[in-house]
Amino acid sequence: MCAASLEEYCGSVFWNASYVEREDPDLPVCVEQTVLVWIPLGFLWLCSPWNLMSLCRRSRVNTKHRTKLYLWKQIVVLLLFLTATGGLIITLLEDFSPNSSGEKISAVYYTNPVLFTVTWILVLLCQEGVRKKERAVDSASLFLFWLLLVLCGIFPFQTLLREALKQTQGNVRDVPRFFLFYTSFGLEVIALILSALADIHPEAKELVKKNPEAGAVFLSRITFHWFNSMVVKGYKKPLVQEDMWELNEVESTGYISQRFDHHMQYELGQARIRYQK
């Protein structure tokens, strides 16, 4: 029942085992237009509240300052927004143009551009939320979103390319969508590369010199790449106290004791209320 609904939604076969058993294995187009689109978009929509919460909070970071990396990220997403809008316009022209063939346009050609259009607006807001976070140099959720999007986009990438090569004289069946897909895929790869770079504010550069962990991006943190310089120094000579980096503010005893006192005062207040009752 579900497969039949998806086939009607896509206008093509949802799953056929023969696609993956032939000499040039491939996924059905319907799977690429549904499952491989919903996975990265669903991941972003689930993780976006963590990035959007900072938009509602007051931050000590100068909101007027925007780094070049941040601006490039926003420009790339705006270009992706235009490609999604272009895909929706193409579908509307095909469906309502006086010269249209009269064939029914599948619902997926309407919903996917709308989903991507709303998603790119959400990414713009998430990137602004990351910028307003204190001591944030990147976003793990946005990096994983771009990674999932690129990995899922590899399958339609090779499907469209394979179909184009099979056409006689190199003609492409649907030139506008072919062009929009490869344009958006290239922009997604650029966005993935940009999301892997540290967006360090000028006022935080001195702190990064004192402790590289403060400027480490997600990939560097999970692989401990930021610690390599200390390992190399320790290999060349015995480490002394002067070689050690300064602690991050959140790891200092002053910050920890302040947070402890805050929670302790709250618990004492609750205990007094219970005692009075």
Side-chain angles (χ1 to χ4, degrees):
M1 185 66 180
C2 182
S5 301
L6 288 173
E7 288 178 0
E8 183 180 357
Y9 171 74
C10 299
S12 61
V13 177
F14 175 72
W15 181 254
N16 192 334
S18 63
Y19 279 74
V20 295
E21 294 174 355
R22 58 191 186 186
E23 294 181 358
D24 52 345
D26 198 359
L27 290 177
V29 175
C30 189
V31 174
E32 297 173 352
Q33 293 176 333
T34 55
V35 178
L36 297 187
V37 170
W38 298 339
I39 288 175
L41 268 57
F43 174 81
L44 176 70
W45 281 83
L46 288 174
C47 298
S48 59
W50 281 268
N51 292 324
L52 296 177
M53 282 191 296
S54 59
L55 292 176
C56 304
R57 299 174 181 172
R58 291 184 178 181
S59 176
R60 290 178 294 177
V61 179
N62 185 4
T63 56
K64 294 183 179 179
H65 179 77
R66 292 173 174 83
T67 62
K68 291 182 179 179
L69 180 60
Y70 166 81
L71 293 176
W72 277 112
K73 288 179 179 179
Q74 297 292 70
I75 290 172
V76 170
V77 178
L78 283 173
L79 293 175
L80 284 167
F81 175 83
L82 293 178
T83 59
T85 306
L88 182 60
I89 293 173
I90 290 171
T91 303
L92 291 172
L93 290 176
E94 289 179 351
D95 212 2
F96 296 101
S97 174
N99 300 325
S100 61
S101 60
E103 295 181 3
K104 182 181 178 182
I105 303 295
S106 301
V108 69
Y109 292 109
Y110 279 102
T111 55
N112 277 2
V114 172
L115 285 174
F116 276 110
T117 300
V118 177
T119 299
W120 299 138
I121 296 174
L122 181 62
V123 173
L124 289 171
L125 295 174
C126 287
Q127 291 183 161
E128 175 65 13
V130 173
R131 185 184 69 86
K132 288 190 174 183
K133 285 183 179 179
E134 297 182 18
R135 298 182 295 271
V137 296
D138 71 335
S139 171
S141 59
L142 284 176
F143 172 80
L144 293 175
F145 161 70
W146 291 117
L147 181 62
L148 283 173
L149 197 63
V150 170
L151 291 177
C152 291
I154 292 175
F155 294 94
F157 181 97
Q158 61 93 23
T159 298
L160 290 173
L161 185 61
R162 183 178 294 167
E163 289 181 355
L165 294 175
K166 286 181 180 179
Q167 298 295 325
T168 57
Q169 299 179 354
N171 294 328
V172 180
R173 184 179 304 172
D174 193 346
V175 176
R177 289 194 178 90
F178 183 88
F179 173 77
L180 283 177
F181 172 80
Y182 282 101
T183 301
S184 61
F185 185 82
L187 291 171
E188 290 163 7
V189 173
I190 294 173
L192 174 62
I193 296 172
L194 293 177
S195 67
L197 302 178
D199 190 6
I200 303 174
H201 293 275
E203 59 269 16
K205 289 184 178 179
E206 291 299 324
L207 178 62
V208 174
K209 292 180 181 178
K210 297 177 182 178
N211 189 336
E213 185 184 5
V217 295
F218 173 69
L219 282 177
S220 182
R221 291 196 299 270
I222 63 174
T223 59
F224 280 89
H225 183 267
W226 60 272
F227 196 72
N228 285 354
S229 59
M230 183 66 73
V231 174
V232 173
K233 185 182 291 186
Y235 173 76
K236 292 181 178 178
K237 68 179 186 68
L239 296 175
V240 294
Q241 184 64 36
E242 288 73 17
D243 296 326
M244 299 295 105
W245 297 316
E246 292 185 7
L247 286 174
N248 290 324
E249 182 184 358
V250 295
E251 297 168 348
S252 63
T253 54
Y255 179 86
I256 295 174
S257 62
Q258 182 181 5
R259 297 296 297 170
F260 177 81
D261 289 340
H262 171 75
H263 292 292
M264 178 60 72
Q265 292 300 325
Y266 174 78
E267 293 297 332
L268 288 173
Q270 295 296 316
R272 291 192 188 98
I273 294 174
R274 290 194 296 268
Y275 179 75
Q276 292 173 357
K277 289 181 179 181

